Amino acid sequence: MRRTVFNEDHEAFRETLRAFIEAEVVPEYDKWFTEGIVPREFYYKLAELGLFGINVPEEFGGAGLESHKFEAIQYEETARAGVTFGGSGVHVLLALPYIKMLATEEQKKRFLPKFVSAEEMWAIAMTEPGTGSDLAGMKSTARLSEDGTHYVLNGAKTFITGGVHADRVIVCARTAAPTAEDRRYGISLFAVDTKSEGYSVGRKLDKLGLKTSDTAELAFVDVKVPAEDLLGEENKGFYYLGANLPSERWGIAFGAYAQAKAAVRFAQQYVTDRTVFGKTVASFQNTKFELAACQAEVDAAEAVADRALEALDAGELTAAEAASAKLFCTEVAHRVIDRCLQLHGGYGYMNEYPIARLYADNRVNRIYGGTSEVMKMIIAKNMGL
């Protein structure tokens, strides 16, 4: 079936991005993988390429587009090359929607030009030790000073992608106690300057996969956050978080589909070149059947991911639809990547082969952004169950 989600402009962008990845990322990626982090200077190259300003209004230095299709191409092209851009995806996919939705004009003038240029890299800090998916149970607090000029932030966060390089972090903290009727009430969002006194980055976490992504623990000890850095209204943070979850889950779904598609490509290349018992691995019937089954699953995941992308761009992607897309695409990717690794034999277990890195990177897709079990709960609720 002919794919219709992308037009000529998108494909021209794809060619530019593919050339950039081959020239600037692939030669350095093994070093980044070993060191467990992408150099901070690399983000300036992404900014020069225009990746951070695509969805930013023109008056703040961006292209002024309202589409996630360029992000989708980034997922496909990085997966195709077996690389990642470190924690920069959080900067655009997660942080930017909150700035656009909640920031005042004064805040946008302060934040967005530096966002586009990579002078300030952003992250978002929701998860806390012991809370996981239960965001309403967070313990971090932000108390307004008596003179109303600033908040005093205390607490800790964990699993914060982009946390090492971040210059600003959207921190979720309690500004009021939950009510008996609504335990989600009382959470607020703050654009916290990471240079603030009392703000500290703890361990850079040693993860199973996504090795080039700087994931960290954060701590706040009496951090003074200017009142003008509150994002949106006080105590409504949980509802803001809920509003952006569909786009986050679409991103995970699309990224997982792209990884599955790349896995089939890697496996097909390998079995075509690899010879056993005097024949190429590709010539065996089992190989053909396995890859054919994987391709069929990738085709289905592509259709689901593209449909969700069109709905997201139209402003029509519901929470249940996003959950369904994430559940389906991440489960497909899990099956396909595992089978493609198997076709590599022992070499599939070696990190020098992209399929091995892909296998480790993919595993978190069924955890972050809401576990597969949480996705099932959302879908079931939408079914009236």
Side-chain angles (χ1 to χ4, degrees):
M1 292 181 289
R2 187 172 65 89
R3 199 176 185 194
T4 59
V5 71
F6 300 122
N7 62 28
E8 291 181 0
D9 290 339
H10 298 125
E11 295 305 332
F13 173 76
R14 185 190 300 279
E15 291 181 13
T16 299
L17 182 61
R18 186 174 296 182
F20 172 84
I21 290 171
E22 288 298 321
E24 300 288 346
V25 181
V26 172
E28 303 293 329
Y29 197 72
D30 285 346
K31 179 183 177 183
W32 298 352
F33 185 86
T34 300
E35 294 177 349
I37 196 167
V38 165
R40 177 64 174 82
E41 313 85 72
F42 174 66
Y43 294 144
Y44 291 113
K45 294 183 179 182
L46 295 182
E48 290 173 9
L49 196 62
L51 299 191
F52 295 157
I54 292 172
N55 293 328
V56 173
E58 292 183 49
E59 61 263 37
F60 303 115
L65 302 180
E66 289 293 338
S67 174
H68 291 271
K69 292 183 179 180
F70 294 95
E71 293 168 34
I73 291 171
Q74 291 177 56
Y75 284 122
E76 290 184 334
E77 290 304 307
T78 51
R80 179 184 183 277
V83 302
T84 72
F85 287 165
S88 66
V90 169
H91 183 67
V92 175
L93 185 63
L94 299 190
L96 182 58
Y98 290 101
I99 301 172
K100 291 174 66 177
M101 177 176 71
L102 302 175
T104 63
E105 283 303 305
E106 183 275 331
Q107 288 174 325
K108 289 177 181 177
K109 290 177 182 177
R110 280 196 291 131
F111 297 151
L112 287 177
K114 293 180 180 179
F115 180 101
V116 171
S117 68
E119 182 179 343
E120 285 189 349
M121 292 299 295
W122 287 62
I124 184 165
M126 293 185 274
T127 304
E128 295 184 358
T131 60
S133 296
D134 182 20
L135 295 179
M138 69 177 61
K139 305 297 183 185
S140 295
T141 60
R143 305 302 183 197
L144 187 62
S145 62
E146 291 186 5
D147 61 6
T149 60
H150 65 272
Y151 291 83
V152 179
L153 174 65
N154 284 282
K157 300 289 182 178
T158 192
F159 305 147
I160 308 308
T161 303
V164 175
H165 282 323
D167 302 288
R168 280 207 180 253
V169 177
I170 300 174
V171 178
C172 313
R174 282 210 163 273
T175 44
T179 66
E181 297 79 21
D182 189 359
R183 63 189 294 268
R184 298 171 295 183
Y185 173 82
I187 295 171
S188 300
L189 307 184
F190 300 90
V192 179
D193 187 338
T194 63
K195 298 185 295 295
S196 302
E197 184 177 354
Y199 180 104
S200 62
V201 178
R203 293 184 301 150
K204 181 173 74 67
L205 300 174
D206 183 16
K207 308 182 297 299
L208 171 67
L210 298 177
K211 290 291 189 180
T212 64
S213 175
D214 53 313
T215 304
E217 296 174 328
L218 307 179
F220 323 111
V221 179
D222 293 334
V223 176
K224 290 185 178 180
V225 182
E228 56 266 28
D229 286 346
L230 171 71
L231 282 176
E233 295 183 40
E234 237 188 33
N235 303 322
K236 293 186 177 181
F238 189 94
Y239 311 104
Y240 298 144
L241 296 174
N244 277 321
L245 279 174
S247 65
E248 177 182 351
R249 288 167 179 162
W250 163 79
I252 297 169
F254 205 97
Y257 138 71
Q259 290 175 324
K261 182 177 182 178
V264 173
R265 176 174 178 266
F266 296 145
Q268 186 170 353
Q269 288 175 335
Y270 179 82
V271 300
T272 300
D273 296 336
R274 175 71 168 162
T275 301
V276 294
F277 307 118
K279 301 168 63 176
T280 65
V281 176
S283 67
F284 290 93
Q285 186 182 65
N286 179 69
T287 303
K288 296 176 182 178
F289 282 5
E290 283 293 288
L291 282 177
C294 287
Q295 184 61 53
E297 289 217 76
V298 168
D299 287 344
E302 180 180 87
V304 170
D306 284 357
R307 185 182 70 175
L309 171 56
E310 295 284 24
L312 180 63
D313 270 11
E316 298 172 353
L317 185 65
T318 68
E321 289 168 345
S324 180
K326 180 181 184 296
L327 177 65
F328 182 78
C329 291
T330 58
E331 293 292 341
V332 164
H334 162 64
R335 293 191 296 270
V336 167
I337 294 170
D338 184 72
R339 292 162 83 175
C340 288
L341 186 150
Q342 187 74 16
L343 288 172
H344 282 71
Y347 290 104
Y349 205 64
M350 300 295 109
N351 273 328
E352 65 187 272
Y353 282 78
I355 192 69
R357 300 180 183 186
L358 198 58
Y359 183 87
D361 289 351
N362 173 262
R363 185 59 184 87
V364 76
N365 288 331
R366 292 181 288 151
I367 298 173
Y368 68 1
T371 64
S372 292
E373 291 73 25
V374 170
M375 298 305 98
K376 292 174 184 177
M377 290 170 58
I378 294 169
I379 297 165
K381 182 177 180 181
N382 186 65
M383 296 169 65
L385 298 174

